[in-house]
Amino acid sequence: EFYNEIKDMIFKSLHNKLLNKKIINSLIKLSKEHRVKPKKIQTLGCIIDPSLSISVDNFIDLSNSIQLKEKDIKIITFQENKNTFNVFSSMNITPACISFMGNLNGKDSLEFISFEYDILINFFKNNKFLTLLSSKTKANFRVGFDSVDSELNDLIFSQQIIKYADFKSELIKYLKMIE
């Protein structure tokens, strides 16, 4: 029993090191990309931690505010346990969606990164699974919070703007200014 616990600790430690290395390499690659906000926004990707007080309807409302239809938005959410039903969105990423070597292998995460987005919203705080997913996602312009690596986002909001109404109004204001 004791040896199994030691083996599990070593396994988890090695997995975390490999995952962190994948994230660092992905962020380095991302930092070398030249990204510009497109003049016309036609697609929106959202990576969301539903533990923050937000709902899928908020992002549909946001997409309507920037003249997008529901079909132009893709939302993926984090779920700690793959066995619980997620009412938030139909696409999910769980810790099990990442291989021992730190590669994405979940059906939803692979589908999400197969698209290119005009804008990617990283609506999460510090979450290594979502950071990896975001770093692998193709996007022309990225929006997120200051609690994650600065290479991940082009437009960075303070964590204080976590309330949806504040986030929406600030995002729309800055998107208009950047045009």
Side-chain angles (χ1 to χ4, degrees), residues 89-141:
S89 83
S90 61
M91 294 179 79
N92 301 294
I93 180 171
T94 67
C97 294
I98 297 174
S99 73
F100 177 76
M101 298 301 287
N103 295 311
L104 293 170
N105 61 12
K107 180 179 79 67
D108 290 348
S109 51
L110 293 174
E111 180 183 337
F112 188 84
I113 67 171
S114 72
F115 291 92
E116 185 166 337
Y117 304 96
D118 290 329
I119 294 188
L120 177 66
I121 296 177
N122 293 310
F123 205 89
F124 59 90
K125 291 183 180 177
N126 199 1
N127 179 312
K128 61 187 169 188
F129 305 110
L130 297 181
T131 299
L132 179 66
L133 177 67
S134 177
S135 69
K136 298 287 187 185
T137 303
K138 296 179 279 302
N140 294 320
F141 195 74

Side-chain angles (χ1 to χ4, degrees), residues 6 24 44 66 72 90 95 116-117 125 136 153 160:
I6 298 282
I24 289 166
L44 176 66
I66 55 176
D72 303 320
S90 61
E116 185 166 337
Y117 304 96
K125 291 183 180 177
K136 298 287 187 185
N153 298 307
Q160 273 61 52

Side-chain angles (χ1 to χ4, degrees), residues 41-67:
I41 301 166
Q42 296 179 317
T43 56
L44 176 66
C46 302
I47 301 175
I48 301 167
D49 181 349
S51 70
L52 304 176
S53 51
I54 194 85
S55 80
V56 73
D57 293 334
N58 295 137
F59 287 95
I60 292 168
D61 171 61
L62 175 62
S63 67
N64 290 334
S65 299
I66 55 176
Q67 282 72 53

Side-chain angles (χ1 to χ4, degrees), residues 8-179:
D8 284 347
M9 282 178 26
I10 293 170
F11 181 80
K12 284 179 185 171
S13 174
L14 183 57
H15 174 65
N16 279 332
K17 283 185 187 338
L18 292 168
L19 178 57
N20 289 336
K21 187 172 174 56
K22 267 301 178 198
I23 291 170
I24 289 166
N25 289 339
S26 247
L27 289 172
I28 289 169
K29 187 177 172 191
L30 198 60
S31 72
K32 294 176 182 171
E33 289 179 5
H34 178 70
R35 296 188 305 263
V36 179
K37 182 190 150 292
K39 296 222 181 291
K40 184 169 175 19
I41 301 166
Q42 296 179 317
T43 56
L44 176 66
C46 302
I47 301 175
I48 301 167
D49 181 349
S51 70
L52 304 176
S53 51
I54 194 85
S55 80
V56 73
D57 293 334
N58 295 137
F59 287 95
I60 292 168
D61 171 61
L62 175 62
S63 67
N64 290 334
S65 299
I66 55 176
Q67 282 72 53
L68 291 179
K69 294 178 176 47
E70 206 170 320
K71 69 173 182 58
D72 303 320
I73 180 173
K74 287 230 177 285
I75 298 173
I76 190 167
T77 57
F78 178 70
Q79 203 173 320
E80 190 68 50
N81 182 344
K82 70 178 181 175
N83 296 323
T84 56
F85 181 70
N86 185 354
V87 296
F88 193 87
S89 83
S90 61
M91 294 179 79
N92 301 294
I93 180 171
T94 67
C97 294
I98 297 174
S99 73
F100 177 76
M101 298 301 287
N103 295 311
L104 293 170
N105 61 12
K107 180 179 79 67
D108 290 348
S109 51
L110 293 174
E111 180 183 337
F112 188 84
I113 67 171
S114 72
F115 291 92
E116 185 166 337
Y117 304 96
D118 290 329
I119 294 188
L120 177 66
I121 296 177
N122 293 310
F123 205 89
F124 59 90
K125 291 183 180 177
N126 199 1
N127 179 312
K128 61 187 169 188
F129 305 110
L130 297 181
T131 299
L132 179 66
L133 177 67
S134 177
S135 69
K136 298 287 187 185
T137 303
K138 296 179 279 302
N140 294 320
F141 195 74
R142 301 161 159 272
V143 178
F145 296 105
D146 60 6
S147 57
V148 299
D149 192 293
S150 61
E151 296 297 341
L152 205 56
N153 298 307
D154 304 307
L155 178 58
I156 301 170
F157 290 106
S158 162
Q159 290 188 112
Q160 273 61 52
I161 305 184
I162 213 92
K163 287 192 180 88
Y164 169 73
D166 298 338
F167 177 79
K168 176 186 171 188
S169 65
E170 290 295 304
L171 177 61
I172 290 171
K173 176 175 84 175
Y174 282 104
L175 288 176
K176 287 179 181 172
M177 285 172 49
I178 294 171
E179 290 180 341

